[in-house]
Amino acid sequence: MRKQLNIPRATTSVIFLVLMFLGVGLVNPRFLSFSNILLTLNSGVVYTVVAIGIAFVIITGEIDVSVGATLGLTAAISGTLVRDGHMFLGIVVPLIVGIAIGVINGFGVTYLKIPSIIMTLGTNGIFRGMIYVYTQGKWVENLPINFKGASQSLIFGTFTRFYFFTLVGMVLLYFFMTKSRPGRYFRAVGDNPNGANLLGIPVQGTKFSAFVISGLFAAIGGLMYACRVGFITPIAGMGYEMKVIAACVLGGISLTGGVGSIVGATVGAAIMASISRVLVFLGFSSDYDNTITGILLIIIVVFDAVIQKSSAEKMRKQRLAAKIVQGEEVTDA
Amino acid sequence: MLNTKSLTKKLYRWETFLVILLLVEVVVFGLINPRFLMPRVLFGSVNNFMTISVVALFVTFVLVTGGIDIQSGAIVGLTSITIGILWNDVGMSLPLALLMGLLVGLLCGTLSGFFVAYTDVQPMVVTLGGSFLYSGLAILITNFSSTEAYKGITGFPEYYSNFVRGRFFGVIPYQLVILLFFVAIAYVLLHKTRYGRYVFLCGVNRNAACYCGIRTKRVVMSTYMISGVGAAIAGILLTAYLGTAKTDLGKEITLPVITAVVLGGTSNLGGTGGVIGTALAAFVIGILRFGLSMANVNTQYLDIPVGVLLVVAVAIRFASQNPSFIRLRNKLRRRKDSVNK
């Protein structure tokens, strides 16, 4: 039953995305050109990666607001290392740092029992401060051309390599989450932690690994950010946590846990990234960006909640009716 | 016997811990930099955490019902720019513009509160949407102004700024008095009125509250309205203090506000907490930041100690509620009792 409810939810987001593209295409046909669609999707590649990571945490019913600081810190670390000529270290060290931050968050939430929003709020402040300590408040600039060029390199002549690998990763993670045993733990834990515990699922371990995954993906996002932007300021990634959570919600992931998929996170991030480009093509200024995002978020979520409520009500009525019919049969006999 | 018991109970309270923390901070920073203890300097530090405190006081209401409000920062900015435009470009008198600012805060709070209370959407999502929406609206309405957005609207009359910047006897800032005034209001509203009890009951058990005949939906919605007005008040005060109306005034206060509320002992799961704790926590954070910056710590590093403080304090609190810890404590107490006998 859960599955039946889930499939339409990610699909609504896809339909919404397609309708948005078509609608803008009607006004400005140039928007629908293949290269522009790819460009639009590609502009949201950092959001997509971070959203996929945080989706694991949200699906287990927790939240991680430290991804923005993680992204900034890892971007700064990779930037300085690469600038000083350590290409290999510049890729490996940030990933380790990201995992370490995930471990810290996971430890606080699962072992110290600190509510996740408070724990990650605290670590967000701590690691944001660390960026200033690490960079002395200076910008990280002068990254080598081949590092920056990595974000431009194409695969099959059309896709940028980053977005292609993100999509491949998404598909693999989707199968991991829906088909493999440990992958399915995430949704079970988020849906009903006590029930999952009774079934012998390691609830705390699953939550812990969700935070580690989130940290790792935020670090990958940080690497991509460093490549794409080419310079890192101390406020890099600030506010990303909110945008990424919004992307997950737009993609149909419920913050109460247990509902949603990796595909949803990807689609949600694509919607978030498209909004600003859509506005450009419709001739609006980018001032409307936040307003439209806010309105969309509220409308989609409220609409979804109303539909869910009415369908739950309908099912309850059906069940009740079935019970009454059964009861009559019993008395007749 | 009973007396000592209630005394120890009071000593175990979270607020006591915060007071001790505050005193320790004052002593430590006083030792590091004696200038810190000058009344003018110490009281003057209030301007650093005025906004956060006022917003946090009223956000406490939302957290007590088990919700969360991350849109207050956006409302602060929206209020500020509304006042600026109504006064500067529309030509309203300033008091009327301030009133309209409050109204804007109320409306924003009402809109989000309505969605939280009457649809089953999580408060975090609604207020996240609200934060995008209201900060976006703030940017949009600056287009009505003749002043460029990044400059901000300035040139408010003297009395408006003096209202916030002045000091009693040249020592105690008006801001501190205003802040204590709002602490008193929030305290009475949450802890001494029937409405306040309703708010708590909605946080403890919403269904039970509903069966008791409390209009839980209205109560939940009203907490968001209160928090919206609180943010608007903070916007008015901050505009007065800076003398500038800008869209991004409250941009970075959301996380500090939640930090203050949670450090103050209000659970994000609802049902427990209080205004005094929030106020004390806001002071603890404010003094910590101010003291460190006076001890020549780079202001950009100050997020680190605040984050550590939050995590450590909350870890201690949750550890003390841990069943195994309570069992250990009871065991020790029993042993002590038997020795006494």
Side-chain angles (χ1 to χ4, degrees):
Chain A
M1 197 177 79
R2 180 103 263 169
K3 217 171 177 184
Q4 280 172 351
L5 275 175
N6 273 339
I7 291 174
R9 190 57 192 88
T11 337
T12 12
S13 303
V14 176
I15 293 171
F16 177 78
L17 186 65
V18 172
L19 281 181
M20 184 164 84
F21 272 75
L22 289 179
V24 180
L26 281 180
V27 179
N28 190 341
R30 271 186 306 152
F31 188 76
L32 278 183
S33 71
F34 187 62
S35 62
N36 181 61
I37 291 175
L38 277 182
L39 208 61
T40 309
L41 292 177
N42 186 49
S43 68
V45 65
V46 179
Y47 285 143
T48 314
V49 171
V50 183
I52 288 175
I54 205 175
F56 279 89
V57 175
I58 298 179
I59 286 172
T60 56
E62 303 287 342
I63 198 137
D64 185 354
V65 293
S66 70
V67 286
T70 310
L71 187 144
L73 184 60
T74 50
I77 291 173
S78 110
T80 45
L81 285 173
V82 168
R83 183 191 60 196
D84 300 341
H86 310 292
M87 188 60 98
F88 178 69
L89 283 180
I91 292 169
V92 174
V93 174
L95 295 183
I96 294 171
V97 170
I99 291 173
I101 292 175
V103 167
I104 293 171
N105 284 333
F107 178 77
V109 173
T110 56
Y111 290 94
L112 300 179
K113 308 283 181 212
I114 303 174
S116 54
I117 183 156
I118 298 167
M119 181 69 202
T120 51
L121 203 59
T123 49
N124 188 48
I126 294 171
F127 294 115
R128 176 63 59 191
M130 293 274 190
I131 303 173
Y132 284 100
V133 175
Y134 182 74
T135 62
Q136 307 283 318
K138 293 191 193 97
W139 290 27
V140 181
E141 288 173 301
N142 300 330
L143 301 184
I145 298 291
N146 58 354
F147 184 65
K148 283 195 272 190
S151 66
Q152 306 293 335
S153 67
L154 300 178
I155 202 161
F156 307 137
T158 46
F159 274 103
T160 60
R161 203 157 285 193
F162 281 176
Y163 202 72
F164 178 76
F165 286 131
T166 307
L167 285 182
V168 171
M170 179 204 83
V171 172
L172 290 178
L173 283 173
Y174 174 77
F175 281 115
F176 167 69
M177 211 164 187
T178 50
K179 302 292 173 206
S180 82
R181 182 178 276 267
R184 292 178 71 121
Y185 284 175
F186 289 99
R187 216 181 272 166
V189 166
D191 189 37
N192 183 350
N194 293 333
N197 194 24
L198 289 177
L199 285 175
I201 295 173
V203 173
Q204 304 300 346
T206 310
K207 285 188 175 174
F208 189 92
S209 49
F211 278 101
V212 174
I213 293 172
S214 172
L216 174 64
F217 274 76
I220 299 174
L223 284 177
M224 290 186 175
Y225 182 95
C227 286
R228 281 175 58 85
V229 180
F231 59 89
I232 299 114
T233 66
I235 59 163
M238 210 177 229
Y240 266 54
E241 56 275 359
M242 292 306 163
K243 292 228 162 179
V244 171
I245 293 170
C248 284
V249 173
L250 284 177
I253 297 174
S254 162
L255 289 192
T256 46
V259 180
S261 70
I262 298 298
V263 180
T266 314
V267 175
I271 294 175
M272 285 290 285
S274 316
I275 289 172
S276 46
R277 274 189 81 80
V278 162
L279 288 175
V280 172
F281 274 81
L282 289 181
F284 287 109
S285 78
S286 61
D287 287 354
Y288 287 84
D289 208 347
N290 275 350
T291 317
I292 304 275
T293 310
I295 291 174
L296 270 186
L297 193 62
I298 292 178
I299 287 180
I300 289 183
V301 170
V302 168
F303 188 67
D304 190 49
V306 171
I307 287 184
Q308 291 260 349
K309 207 174 181 179
S310 73
S311 79
E313 192 73 5
K314 209 186 270 171
M315 246 185 286
R316 201 175 64 93
K317 273 183 188 152
Q318 271 175 4
R319 250 199 336 264
L320 275 178
K323 251 185 204 165
I324 290 165
V325 170
Q326 265 180 3
E328 277 172 1
E329 279 172 2
V330 171
T331 47
D332 282 355
Chain B
M1 180 63 203
L2 215 143
N3 224 340
T4 53
K5 224 176 196 175
S6 69
L7 190 71
T8 46
K9 211 175 171 189
K10 248 180 203 159
L11 278 178
Y12 270 121
R13 281 182 65 167
W14 186 247
E15 280 88 351
T16 323
F17 175 70
L18 289 175
V19 171
I20 295 169
L21 204 60
L22 195 59
L23 291 178
V24 169
E25 278 182 0
V26 171
V27 171
V28 169
F29 292 130
L31 288 175
I32 295 174
N33 187 347
R35 229 174 68 82
F36 175 80
L37 287 180
M38 283 163 64
R40 213 187 137 79
V41 176
L42 188 57
F43 287 127
S45 69
V46 72
N47 65 39
N48 284 319
F49 52 93
M50 175 84 182
T51 321
I52 291 170
S53 312
V54 172
V55 176
L57 285 177
F58 295 99
V59 169
T60 308
F61 285 72
V62 175
L63 267 88
V64 166
T65 64
I68 195 162
D69 186 347
I70 53 175
Q71 64 186 2
S72 35
I75 297 181
V76 170
L78 182 59
T79 316
S80 175
I81 198 69
T82 309
I83 294 165
I85 285 175
L86 287 180
W87 177 76
N88 189 35
D89 296 282
V90 180
M92 257 185 209
S93 72
L94 190 58
L96 193 61
L98 296 182
L99 203 64
M100 295 302 284
L102 279 182
L103 197 65
V104 166
L106 181 67
L107 278 179
C108 295
T110 313
L111 184 69
S112 301
F114 173 78
F115 285 129
V116 171
Y118 289 89
T119 63
D120 284 347
V121 188
Q122 302 97 333
M124 174 130 185
V125 180
V126 174
T127 52
L128 178 64
S131 74
F132 281 117
L133 178 58
Y134 305 141
S135 60
L137 284 178
I139 296 172
L140 280 188
I141 63 170
T142 45
N143 293 338
F144 296 123
S145 167
S146 51
T147 329
E148 274 119 287
Y150 66 91
K151 277 184 190 158
I153 297 162
T154 50
F156 289 105
E158 286 266 298
Y159 68 89
Y160 180 43
S161 299
N162 288 345
F163 172 63
V164 174
R165 280 184 181 171
R167 282 167 188 255
F168 285 115
F169 316 118
V171 177
I172 301 169
Y174 289 171
Q175 278 182 319
L176 189 62
V177 180
I178 296 170
L179 179 56
L180 292 178
F181 170 70
F182 282 119
V183 172
I185 287 186
Y187 177 75
V188 171
L189 193 57
L190 187 59
H191 297 282
K192 298 290 169 196
T193 62
R194 184 184 294 185
Y195 169 75
R197 304 304 302 171
Y198 287 175
V199 171
F200 269 101
L201 193 51
C202 282
V204 175
N205 189 337
R206 191 166 300 176
N207 288 334
C210 195
Y211 291 135
C212 290
I214 299 170
R215 297 199 162 124
T216 47
K217 287 186 177 172
R218 274 193 210 173
V219 172
V220 169
M221 183 168 139
S222 69
T223 58
Y224 288 88
M225 292 159 76
I226 288 175
S227 129
V229 172
I233 293 170
I236 290 172
L237 294 172
L238 193 60
T239 311
Y241 181 74
L242 298 173
T244 324
K246 275 175 98 172
T247 53
D248 57 353
L249 281 189
K251 207 175 153 197
E252 277 150 26
I253 69 161
T254 305
L255 300 188
V257 162
I258 303 290
T259 309
V261 177
V262 170
L263 192 60
T266 305
S267 160
N268 64 325
L269 305 172
T272 56
V275 167
I276 301 294
T278 303
L280 283 171
F283 275 80
V284 166
I285 297 171
I287 297 282
L288 178 69
R289 295 186 75 106
F290 180 68
L292 284 175
S293 66
M294 277 199 70
N296 286 330
V297 176
N298 192 330
T299 47
Q300 288 163 332
Y301 299 172
L302 293 183
D303 283 344
I304 302 177
V306 174
V308 171
L309 180 71
L310 177 71
V311 171
V312 170
V314 176
I316 291 172
R317 202 171 81 223
F318 277 84
S320 67
Q321 286 162 1
N322 201 332
S324 56
F325 178 80
I326 291 172
R327 231 174 288 140
L328 186 76
R329 202 178 61 189
N330 289 347
K331 213 180 194 175
L332 287 176
R333 214 174 268 170
R334 244 176 279 136
R335 194 171 294 164
K336 214 166 82 185
D337 283 352
S338 63
V339 168
N340 284 348
K341 272 172 196 166

